[in-house]
Amino acid sequence: MPSGGVDCWRLPTRLMSRNSSRVLARTICEKATPPTMKSALLIGGGGPTGPHIARGLVERGFGLTLLNRGIHSAPGLPAHELIRADPHFPDALDQALRGREFDLVIATYGRTRHAAQVLAGRCARFLAVGGTPVYVGQMMPGRLRPFGARVPLRETDQLADRVNETDRNAGEFSHLVWQTEQAILRLHEKGAFAATLFRYPRIYGPRQLVPVEWSIVKRVRDGRRQMILADGGLTIQARCAARNAAQFILLALDRPEASNGQIYNCADDVQVTWRQLMEEINAIMDGDMAMLSMPERLAGATLGYATLQDQSSHVFLDITKARLELGYADVIEPRVALEETVAWLLENPIADSAFPYDRFDYAGEDRLIAAYQSAMEEVEYANPCFQPVPVHAYPHPREPGLRKDHKGR
């Protein structure tokens, strides 16, 4: 058993009836665990936010148990017990956790609806991480009029409570996220546990499984001079540094009277456009890569790495609720977190075969750039549109008086 673990729960199933297992397990655990130490189960722990959450739990006096598949490991985790199980399936969870209870469960990984059902009545608090696809405009911006999600998105804005028949793949996924939230809240209302839900945006930091920053880092590393971005790279996709994401959860843990039964958006205090992200990474790496803006229709292939969706649309989260109720503020500045991310990616480069979000087809990009620039020259030559000279709308008289100024204002 891993260092720091307590194997006080592993009793033969035949000795424990369904009605007596909780009392018996609790009694045995109290003999092996200091009375003041509370127990915490973290489902996950190997991703970008896991180590920060784990350390925060130990700092708060929790005895820590991790449950995951054991595939992704994170350095620097505090002493803990490890339960290897697949959190995507209720039977696997039920078998791995049979007879066990916890003061706190934090589910950051797997299918949290199943975890909630298995642990209902077996923990005092249940904190679950979901995501922004629950908002209709995240994956289906064209479904809304006006186009795209509201800016900024509040926790109470339009959710995917129905499946979009015109885009069933995206619609079904978003609807499942909504159903999961509702299932957990129903258990909260029934008294199975006190629940708090978190809507994560795009998380960045070391060990991120889908590091979209790699599209920029690799191009700068490879000496590319231009990067194609759709619509001027002006799209904002909500981001949160891993350490900041963990802070939302830890603050909610510290403030149960405010957070129980609540849902919180999570994001950095400061957000950036895709162009700003490119320019910041370029500066961190001392690169010489410039942006080349193209219309979405031509630059559609770039949207895969820019937005992980097929249309350019903002997802900008309002985190006012977390600021007011939890006292949230960034614990790491986004620029510092981005520097850590870039350093980790350079030390852990990703093989092209393991990154399906970007083809890195530089020859194809160069052909597109040449064709686009040639076409733009022709369009500019044929452009009959009058280019107005900007004029300030308010008067700027050259001498005192009650008449209009020299430009008739």
Side-chain angles (χ1 to χ4, degrees):
M1 183 173 60
S3 174
V6 178
D7 203 17
C8 62
W9 301 94
R10 302 193 183 281
L11 299 176
T13 304
R14 67 179 188 277
L15 297 180
M16 303 176 70
S17 69
R18 186 172 183 85
N19 294 329
S20 65
S21 61
R22 295 178 186 173
V23 176
L24 181 57
R26 186 185 301 113
T27 302
I28 294 176
C29 186
E30 286 172 352
K31 293 178 181 178
T33 306
T36 58
M37 181 171 286
K38 295 182 178 181
S39 58
L41 172 67
L42 174 57
I43 301 177
T49 65
H52 307 296
I53 296 172
R55 284 192 287 271
L57 291 173
V58 171
E59 289 169 0
R60 286 160 174 78
F62 283 90
L64 179 62
T65 299
L66 299 186
L67 185 150
N68 55 53
R69 294 184 298 164
I71 295 175
H72 304 289
S73 60
L77 284 171
H80 64 278
E81 175 193 359
L82 174 63
I83 300 174
R84 293 194 64 178
D86 191 338
H88 296 89
F89 300 94
D91 290 344
L93 281 170
D94 188 54
Q95 182 176 358
L97 297 173
R98 187 167 297 164
R100 300 199 62 164
E101 292 185 354
F102 300 90
D103 295 296
L104 169 69
V105 173
I106 300 178
T108 67
Y109 168 62
R111 297 186 176 104
T112 54
R113 187 192 329 186
H114 296 330
Q117 291 168 344
V118 169
L119 288 157
R122 296 165 59 182
C123 62
R125 298 189 68 188
F126 187 88
L127 278 57
V129 173
T132 56
V134 73
Y135 294 112
V136 172
Q138 160 78 51
M139 300 184 71
M140 300 166 288
R143 176 180 172 184
L144 302 181
R145 291 294 179 272
F147 175 87
R150 176 172 172 164
V151 180
L153 275 168
R154 300 185 179 94
E155 286 84 352
T156 54
D157 280 328
Q158 186 175 358
L159 305 178
D161 56 351
R162 291 175 296 175
V163 175
N164 178 18
E165 295 297 331
T166 61
D167 188 357
R168 291 199 64 85
N169 289 333
E172 288 176 357
F173 179 76
S174 295
H175 187 59
L176 285 171
V177 176
W178 177 81
Q179 286 182 326
T180 292
E181 288 190 350
Q182 296 303 303
I184 295 172
L185 290 176
R186 282 194 296 270
L187 289 170
H188 167 85
E189 292 168 0
K190 292 178 180 178
F193 42 58
T196 306
L197 306 180
F198 304 87
R199 291 174 182 158
Y200 271 12
R202 181 172 293 164
I203 303 297
Y204 64 100
R207 297 178 308 283
Q208 170 57 264
L209 295 180
V210 188
V212 294
E213 297 81 13
W214 179 243
S215 287
I216 304 171
V217 171
K218 177 173 168 57
R219 282 178 170 80
V220 177
R221 189 196 66 173
D222 292 347
R224 294 292 290 171
R225 302 297 300 276
Q226 289 181 307
M227 183 171 184
I228 300 170
L229 293 180
D231 300 330
L234 297 178
T235 301
I236 298 175
Q237 292 283 303
R239 294 166 55 82
C240 192
R243 222 175 299 180
N244 290 336
Q247 180 71 353
F248 282 92
I249 292 176
L250 296 173
L251 287 173
L253 177 60
D254 293 339
R255 293 165 173 79
E257 69 289 344
S259 64
N260 286 345
Q262 299 299 314
I263 300 176
Y264 295 99
N265 284 339
C266 304
D268 290 338
D269 278 326
V270 177
Q271 295 295 306
V272 296
T273 65
W274 186 253
R275 177 175 183 170
Q276 290 170 331
L277 179 63
M278 185 207 74
E279 291 178 346
E280 287 210 31
I281 292 176
N282 201 49
I284 291 170
M285 297 178 64
D286 294 323
D288 188 27
M289 187 170 69
M291 179 201 71
L292 178 61
S293 175
M294 289 189 188
E296 180 182 300
R297 181 176 177 181
L298 296 177
T302 70
L303 289 173
Y305 56 73
T307 66
L308 297 183
Q309 59 187 23
D310 60 0
Q311 290 178 293
S312 182
S313 175
H314 296 309
V315 178
F316 187 92
L317 299 181
D318 185 346
I319 61 170
T320 301
K321 182 178 179 181
R323 289 194 184 105
L324 295 178
E325 295 184 3
L326 305 180
Y328 176 79
D330 288 350
V331 293
I332 182 171
E333 294 182 5
R335 171 65 183 236
V336 176
L338 186 59
E339 290 172 352
E340 291 181 356
T341 302
V342 170
W344 187 84
L345 287 170
L346 290 173
E347 293 174 2
N348 302 270
I350 304 172
D352 290 352
S353 59
F355 196 76
Y357 311 98
D358 193 332
R359 294 174 59 188
F360 298 107
D361 181 4
Y362 297 156
E365 290 177 14
D366 289 341
R367 289 194 300 271
L368 176 59
I369 290 171
Y372 180 74
Q373 290 177 334
S374 176
M376 284 297 296
E377 290 175 1
E378 293 186 22
V379 171
E380 289 172 354
Y381 178 77
N383 184 7
C385 297
F386 169 70
Q387 299 294 326
V389 177
V391 177
H392 199 290
Y394 291 90
H396 285 271
R398 294 176 176 175
E399 56 186 30
L402 301 179
R403 297 181 178 181
K404 292 182 178 180
D405 70 359
H406 59 289
K407 291 188 177 181
R409 295 170 294 188

